Amino acid sequence: MYLKKAFWSEVLKSETENNDKSPETSPVSDLVSSLDDQRLYREVTLALRTGLRDARSDFSFLRLHGLANILKFLRSVATSDSTINLFCNTQSIPALQVVPVLFQHSLQETDDQIVNNLDHIFSVEPLKIKSPSTDAEVSLALRVLEGCCLLHKESTLLAHHFKAIQVLMNILATRGVLEQGACLDALISIMLDSSLNQTDFEECNGIEEVAILIKNKQVDENLRLKCGEFLLLLIGHVNGREGPPMAAIHDDIRRLLGEKSASLIWAASQFGSTLDPGQRLTALHIQARRVLESLDLY
C-alpha cells in the first residue's frame, strides 16, 4: 500500500500562492495540517494491520502477499521524515510491530511435520497444518526486516530478542542464492549501531561463514560479490569502534582471506564519505569486484 497525497493539499497550495498571509498563521492551514496528520495515521495503521494480518496466515501465499504489501508500504514511508516518525511511533504498539511477526511466521525454523499419533483422526478437532516458508517468502521477509531496522532503530533490539543473528546465519548456510543475498543485506541493517547483534554475530563465527562463501569459486558470482560488499560495509560502517564487540574483526579477515585481500578490504572500506548515495553504491560495486579479483589471484 502506497501512502497517497491528500486531495486538499493542492487547494492549500493554490490558496497560499494567491494569499500573502503565511500558511503557518492561517487557520485554514492549521485545519489542513490536522486533517493531514489524522489521514496519515489512519493510512499507516490500516496498511500495517492489513499487511500483518496476511503475514500471520498459515498459508504461504497469503504471507507472501502480506509481506509484499508491507514492503511497498515501507518504501512509501521512507520518502518523508514525518511518515518515518509516524511509523516509528506505531512500532511501540505490540499489535502493529512488524519484526516479531517475521520471526514467528516467515523466518521461523519449522521442523518436518511428523504425526506422532492418530488421535486427531478420531477427534472432532482437525490437525492444524502450516505451510512452510517458500524461498520467495523468506527473501521478502528479509527485505522487510532490513527496511524496518533501517527506519526504526529499536527494531534491531526486537530482532535480538528473537535471536535474529542465529536465524539469519542458518539461512545463510542452508538456503539458496536468493535468500543468501537478502540475508547479507539484512545482517548489515540489524548490526548497524547494535552492539548486542554484533556480539551475537561474533559468537556465531559470522566472518568465517562469509569467508567460506566468498572463497568458494563454485558459489554464484553475484553472491560472492554480495559477500565482498558485506565485508566492505561491515568494516567501513558497522564496526565503527576499535573496542568490543568485534574488536578482532581485522585479524579475523586477515587470517581467513590473507594479508593482501584484508588490506584491500580495509582500504576500500574507507570510500564514499563525500559521495552522493548513487555514487557510493557504484563505488561499492567496483570495490567489491576488486576484492573478489584479489582473492581469485591466490
Side-chain angles (χ1 to χ4, degrees), residues 165 187-188 191-203 206-207 230 233-235 237-252:
I165 294 295
L187 279 169
I188 287 293
M191 286 194 292
L192 195 63
D193 298 326
S194 175
S195 59
L196 291 173
N197 288 322
Q198 290 176 24
T199 301
D200 289 345
F201 182 75
E202 187 176 32
E203 292 176 352
I207 291 293
F230 173 84
L233 292 171
L234 187 68
I235 296 294
H237 298 279
V238 175
N239 187 45
R241 298 181 297 275
E242 292 299 328
M246 298 199 300
I249 185 172
H250 299 284
D251 295 333
D252 291 338

Side-chain angles (χ1 to χ4, degrees), residues 1 6 20 28 33 39 46 48 57 67 78-79 99-100 104 143 178 194 211-212 234 236 256 266 293 297:
M1 177 179 179
D20 294 333
V28 174
S33 178
R39 177 190 64 86
L46 175 61
L48 284 173
S57 173
L67 292 172
T79 60
V99 171
Q104 290 168 353
R143 294 299 179 191
L178 181 67
S194 175
I212 290 172
L234 187 68
L256 294 166
W266 183 88
E293 290 172 352
L297 289 175

Side-chain angles (χ1 to χ4, degrees), residues 201-244:
F201 182 75
E202 187 176 32
E203 292 176 352
C204 290
N205 299 316
I207 291 293
E208 292 187 17
E209 296 295 332
V210 176
I212 290 172
L213 288 175
I214 197 173
K215 290 194 298 183
N216 187 354
K217 295 183 180 180
Q218 302 302 318
V219 172
D220 181 80
E221 184 178 6
N222 290 327
L223 180 59
R224 294 181 69 205
L225 285 171
K226 179 67 73 173
C227 289
E229 294 174 3
F230 173 84
L231 293 175
L232 291 167
L233 292 171
L234 187 68
I235 296 294
H237 298 279
V238 175
N239 187 45
R241 298 181 297 275
E242 292 299 328

Side-chain angles (χ1 to χ4, degrees), residues 33-134:
S33 178
S34 176
L35 289 173
D36 198 43
D37 291 342
Q38 295 177 34
R39 177 190 64 86
L40 279 177
Y41 179 78
R42 287 195 300 269
E43 287 198 10
V44 167
T45 55
L46 175 61
L48 284 173
R49 290 184 186 279
T50 303
L52 291 174
R53 179 196 61 201
D54 290 340
R56 294 187 183 99
S57 173
D58 290 333
F59 303 102
S60 181
F61 75 94
L62 280 178
R63 295 197 300 268
L64 189 64
H65 181 265
L67 292 172
N69 285 335
I70 293 175
L71 188 59
K72 291 178 183 179
F73 162 75
L74 291 177
R75 287 170 177 167
S76 297
V77 164
T79 60
S80 168
D81 289 340
S82 60
T83 51
I84 291 175
N85 291 334
L86 188 54
F87 169 72
C88 292
N89 291 335
T90 62
Q91 293 308 286
S92 62
I93 304 173
L96 299 179
Q97 289 177 343
V98 178
V99 171
V101 175
L102 298 178
F103 286 99
Q104 290 168 353
H105 297 275
S106 297
L107 300 178
Q108 185 182 34
E109 299 180 9
T110 56
D111 298 327
D112 293 335
Q113 294 185 357
I114 300 175
V115 179
N116 296 320
N117 56 68
L118 301 179
D119 291 345
H120 66 282
I121 295 179
F122 306 102
S123 66
V124 295
E125 292 294 334
L127 179 66
K128 185 176 181 180
I129 298 178
K130 183 176 181 179
S131 60
S133 301
T134 62

